[in-house]
Amino acid sequence: MKRNGTLPRSGDAPSPLGAPARLARSFPGLGLLRRLDELTLAARVGLGFGVILALVLLLALIGVASLYGVSREVGTFSGYADASQTAADLDIGLRDLEVSVRDHLAEGDQQSLLDAGLRRDGLVERLTALAGMVQDDADRRSVDGARRALDAYWSGFEALVALRGERARLTESVLEPQISQIRAGLGRLKDAGGVDSAALAGDATVAILMMQDHLGRYVARRDDRDSLRMRAELGNARAKLAEMNRYLWVPGTRQTIDEVEAALAGIDGVLDGIEASLADEDGLRAERLTPNAAAVATQAAEIRQRNDAVAAALRGGLADQSWRTVRIALWAALGVTLAGLAMVWFVNRRVARPVAGMAAAVTSLAAGRTDIALPPDEGADEVAAMARAVRILRDNSAEMERQRQEAADRHGQLLRDKERVDAANEAKTHFLVNIGQELHAPLNEIVASSQSLMGELHRLGAGELATDIEQIQWTGEQMLTLVDAILDYARIEAGNMDVVLQDFDVHRLLIETRERTLPAADLNGNEVTLQAETASLGQMYSDFGKVRQTLLNLLDNACKFTQGGAVLLAAERAERDGEPWLRFTVTDSGSGFATSQTARLFQPFVQGGSGTRRRGAGLGLTLVGHYAAMLGGDIEVASEPGQGTRVTVALPAYYQPPAEERPLQVGTAGATKRPLVTVGPLRPVAQLAS
């Protein structure tokens, strides 16, 4: 933040509202402006929006009134236009009905009859709608006339359908059976006599067939010539039958001839009925269908013409009314726009400018500038209140800048301290590695020389000296183990520890670790016992060195904190999630510790127990934890002060790389994500009770 400038006092900045106040004092007519200046910013904004809202409402009222007038005209025009359109639809529907009626009279199927009924219902609906639309008495009379004509048309059509049904009944139920009877009788007569009789019977049969063919043509075409031919063929059949009666004297034929003659007489009556039905059908078409259809079309055309004329007249008036409404709306909008612009000028002059000046001042202050002018802080409006607040903000900003600078200095110091600590930690790691490597070779030499010297003393019979040399050898081995532990911890810290995999026998590993622990156990008068089922342990594919060092560290701790007691090394093979695992357990009857110290004991260079300091560097359990994490296992610790300690290390029998890095922390058993180290209850061990 800049500190080279100062904010001017309120008297140094000219008031943006001073000019209107002076004008108001000079011109009494401007007293209204002075009263507006005395309002707060919120009141000025509210006044401006109130006036604008009132203008908008006024414009809306004018628009609503204009739209109401136009809508009435539009509604009237729409009513006449809809009536005209409905009348046109009525005419189109009538034509569709006539087409459906013709189709049915031509085809005679049920689908065409159903279609005609649907179109007639549509015409009735249009007439009903049209009756509700029209307003003129003449139009109402036309609608009633069209409805009566439609009813008469439909009743005539139904009569036609009934006539066609009766004609179909005569044809199918009376004529066809009679023709079949005649043909059967002629067939018997043909077979009853000689050649002449057979020829006469064949000619009569052909005449009957020709009569039937002419009947079909007469029904389809209404041609009188077909009717004459039909009657002539029927007479020809009778003549052939009469001639056959003169020449045929076979017994029983007389009765057949009488039956055929009676059937021919019946056909004559049926033909009369069919001709009468066709004449009635033509009369219905001429008297009821055609005139009534023309009447419906005429009434619809009259309704359409009258409503089109009224709609055309209304269309011109509607255009004039709409143009008047548009002019009124334009003038009203112009007045409202001018009034709104005046109010916008007022709000901009009395509100926006002071707020913009304050915003500029705050923005400059936020950017670190203090050499800017603030609006005056005298007065009761919001700008003055904000000016006073900004002055306080400036002072607070200066204090915050000072504190920020101090915090930045402290943060920089902490970063430098961290770099020094990291450098010291790296130097410590290098030192441990270097000193371990320097000590490793001499200690190996001491152990090797002690072993050679001890063997030579035993050969010479100097048993007491050999015992002393053996103590030197054991101490050297302990120091070598300590150096190896320091080197392993340094490699782990540096991230250079690798996993070396191999197959090995678990039972032999247990025997070897117990034998290597016996000197430490004898030193404190402890007994080390091995408990395992040799046949069930089997092989293990893992890092042999890390597994062995884990067990040695646990046994060394157990012997170290147990005086004249018992140490138990147990192993068992188990399954976890369908995979084989091995559980190694080291239990002692030593001093134990409080479970709250478990996490501390797994930290590097921390030793358990109380009183005198124990031997070692405090890395045993730390390395056990790191080895277990690297091999994908976990640890359970149980201990009570004065009751002993039990440590169980579970490892997969076949090594699998861990899915994620697991920190060396103590967790709770049964958690969703299994922790590396858990604390469990201490259960007494029967083998240690004695």
Side-chain angles (χ1 to χ4, degrees):
M1 178 181 288
K2 295 183 179 180
R3 300 180 183 276
N4 55 351
T6 59
L7 286 172
R9 299 185 179 273
S10 59
D12 298 336
S15 172
L17 305 180
R22 290 193 296 271
L23 287 175
R25 288 193 296 270
S26 302
F27 300 96
L30 299 178
L32 178 61
L33 292 176
R34 182 166 55 190
R35 286 193 295 271
L36 292 176
D37 291 339
E38 295 173 357
L39 296 176
T40 62
L41 290 181
R44 297 172 194 171
V45 173
L47 176 62
F49 280 106
V51 172
I52 293 175
L53 179 60
L55 294 173
V56 171
L57 291 177
L58 176 61
L59 182 60
L61 289 175
I62 295 173
V64 168
S66 302
L67 288 176
Y68 175 73
V70 173
S71 64
R72 291 187 60 186
E73 296 291 335
V74 170
T76 305
F77 169 77
S78 178
Y80 284 100
D82 291 343
S84 175
Q85 182 61 44
T86 305
D89 294 340
L90 180 65
D91 185 47
I92 295 173
L94 177 62
R95 295 177 185 176
D96 294 338
L97 175 61
E98 290 181 309
V99 171
S100 299
V101 168
R102 285 196 298 270
D103 291 342
H104 178 69
L105 295 178
E107 302 294 337
D109 59 333
Q110 192 65 26
Q111 181 60 39
S112 61
L113 179 61
L114 179 61
D115 185 59
L118 293 176
R119 295 189 183 279
R120 183 255 181 183
D121 294 339
L123 286 177
V124 172
E125 292 178 358
R126 289 189 178 92
L127 283 172
T128 303
L130 190 59
M133 294 178 185
V134 296
Q135 303 176 9
D136 189 66
D137 293 336
D139 288 338
R140 292 192 180 95
R141 289 193 296 272
S142 297
V143 171
D144 293 337
R147 182 180 287 113
R148 289 192 298 270
L150 179 61
D151 293 339
Y153 178 90
W154 187 252
S155 64
F157 173 68
E158 289 178 338
L160 274 177
V161 172
L163 285 174
R164 292 175 71 89
E166 178 64 20
R167 187 169 66 246
R169 186 190 67 80
L170 287 174
T171 302
E172 295 174 0
S173 302
V174 179
L175 182 63
E176 293 293 341
Q178 288 179 346
I179 291 175
S180 298
Q181 182 182 355
I182 292 171
R183 293 181 66 183
L186 291 174
R188 290 194 300 271
L189 294 174
K190 182 179 180 181
D191 297 333
V195 176
D196 294 336
S197 298
L200 291 173
D203 293 341
T205 301
V206 172
I208 292 298
L209 294 177
M210 293 297 293
M211 180 273 298
Q212 190 176 9
D213 183 61
H214 287 303
L215 174 61
R217 294 181 181 180
Y218 177 64
V219 171
R221 300 189 301 185
R222 304 289 200 283
D223 192 347
D224 293 337
R225 290 175 295 181
D226 292 324
S227 177
L228 293 175
R229 293 188 185 103
M230 173 183 66
R231 296 290 183 173
E233 293 295 339
L234 182 61
N236 188 19
R238 286 176 177 172
K240 298 297 181 182
L241 186 65
E243 186 176 357
M244 190 182 303
N245 190 24
R246 289 194 298 269
Y247 294 103
L248 188 62
W249 296 100
V250 179
T253 58
R254 182 64 184 175
Q255 182 180 358
T256 303
I257 292 172
D258 292 340
E259 291 176 355
V260 173
E261 286 181 346
L264 288 174
I267 288 178
D268 202 5
V270 172
L271 293 180
D272 291 340
I274 291 176
E275 287 181 343
S277 174
L278 291 174
D280 292 340
E281 181 178 338
D282 293 339
L284 284 174
R285 287 186 178 183
E287 295 173 3
R288 299 180 65 177
L289 264 66
T290 303
N292 286 304
V296 173
T298 301
Q299 299 293 346
E302 291 177 356
I303 295 172
R304 183 177 182 183
Q305 289 173 0
R306 283 193 292 268
N307 284 273
D308 280 343
V310 176
L314 289 174
R315 186 181 295 111
L318 181 60
D320 296 338
Q321 179 67 21
S322 301
W323 176 239
R324 286 195 300 271
T325 302
V326 169
R327 287 201 302 270
I328 294 173
L330 288 175
W331 282 110
L334 179 60
V336 170
T337 302
L338 293 176
L341 290 175
M343 187 50 62
V344 168
W345 174 85
F346 166 74
V347 173
N348 181 67
R349 181 73 177 178
R350 297 295 188 270
V351 177
R353 288 187 182 181
V355 172
M358 181 56 65
V362 172
T363 303
S364 300
L365 184 61
R369 294 178 53 198
T370 57
D371 53 346
I372 45 91
L374 285 177
D377 56 5
E378 291 86 1
D381 60 359
E382 293 85 348
V383 174
M386 285 190 292
R388 292 190 291 270
V390 169
R391 293 185 187 280
I392 297 173
L393 178 63
R394 180 193 60 184
D395 298 336
N396 292 338
S397 298
E399 179 63 21
M400 290 177 62
E401 176 64 18
R402 184 185 63 79
Q403 294 178 1
R404 189 194 65 78
Q405 188 61 39
E406 292 179 356
D409 295 340
R410 288 196 297 271
H411 183 260
Q413 183 62 35
L414 290 175
L415 290 178
R416 290 189 292 272
D417 293 343
K418 180 179 179 299
E419 291 176 356
R420 287 195 295 271
V421 170
D422 291 342
N425 188 40
E426 186 177 358
K428 176 205 69 177
T429 302
H430 288 313
F431 171 75
L432 291 176
V433 172
N434 292 333
I435 195 65
Q437 292 175 351
E438 291 295 331
L439 292 175
H440 206 273
L443 289 174
N444 276 329
E445 186 66 28
I446 290 173
V447 171
S449 300
S450 300
Q451 289 177 346
S452 300
L453 182 58
M454 184 175 60
E456 185 67 24
L457 290 175
H458 279 297
R459 187 179 64 80
L460 296 176
E464 295 181 358
L465 291 176
T467 301
D468 294 337
I469 296 301
E470 183 179 4
Q471 182 66 26
I472 293 173
Q473 177 191 349
W474 181 78
T475 303
E477 290 177 351
Q478 292 298 313
M479 292 181 65
L480 188 60
T481 301
L482 178 61
V483 171
D484 288 338
I486 293 174
L487 287 175
D488 284 349
Y489 178 72
R491 292 192 189 96
I492 291 173
E493 265 200 340
N496 295 328
M497 179 64 74
D498 296 327
V499 176
V500 181
L501 300 175
Q502 66 182 86
D503 289 316
F504 56 89
D505 185 76
V506 178
H507 187 258
R508 292 184 60 186
L509 168 67
L510 296 176
I511 294 175
E512 178 184 349
T513 53
R514 176 181 177 276
E515 291 178 354
R516 291 175 63 92
T517 308
L518 289 178
D522 295 339
L523 183 64
N524 292 324
N526 298 322
E527 180 181 358
V528 180
T529 305
L530 177 63
Q531 179 181 344
E533 295 183 5
T534 306
S536 63
L537 294 179
Q539 296 286 321
M540 189 174 181
Y541 180 70
S542 189
D543 191 320
F544 174 79
K546 292 180 176 57
V547 177
R548 180 182 63 180
Q549 193 61 42
T550 296
L551 298 179
L552 288 175
N553 289 353
L554 294 178
L555 289 171
D556 183 67
N557 277 348
C559 294
K560 187 188 306 182
F561 293 99
T562 303
Q563 300 292 329
V567 176
L568 174 66
L569 172 61
E572 62 177 347
R573 198 177 186 93
E575 280 195 6
R576 182 187 294 180
D577 299 331
E579 299 292 336
W581 281 59
L582 286 165
R583 289 169 51 87
F584 301 99
T585 303
V586 176
T587 309
D588 64 66
S589 59
S591 58
F593 57 87
T595 55
S596 59
Q597 298 182 1
T598 303
R600 189 182 69 86
L601 294 179
F602 278 88
Q603 299 301 315
F605 308 111
V606 174
Q607 292 185 333
S610 59
T612 59
R613 178 177 176 83
R614 309 284 180 173
R615 59 183 175 80
L619 290 174
L621 288 179
T622 303
L623 292 176
V624 168
H626 285 296
Y627 291 159
M630 294 176 68
L631 299 179
D634 50 59
I635 305 169
E636 182 184 89
V637 179
S639 182
E640 292 183 10
Q643 300 297 322
T645 302
R646 184 185 73 254
V647 181
T648 300
V649 179
L651 298 172
Y654 301 100
Y655 171 79
Q656 292 291 337
E660 58 183 4
E661 184 177 354
R662 303 168 69 189
L664 187 57
Q665 296 178 353
V666 179
T668 304
T672 304
K673 185 177 180 181
R674 190 177 184 90
L676 179 60
V677 182
T678 57
V679 177
L682 179 65
R683 295 185 293 274
V685 182
Q687 290 83 347
L688 300 179
S690 59

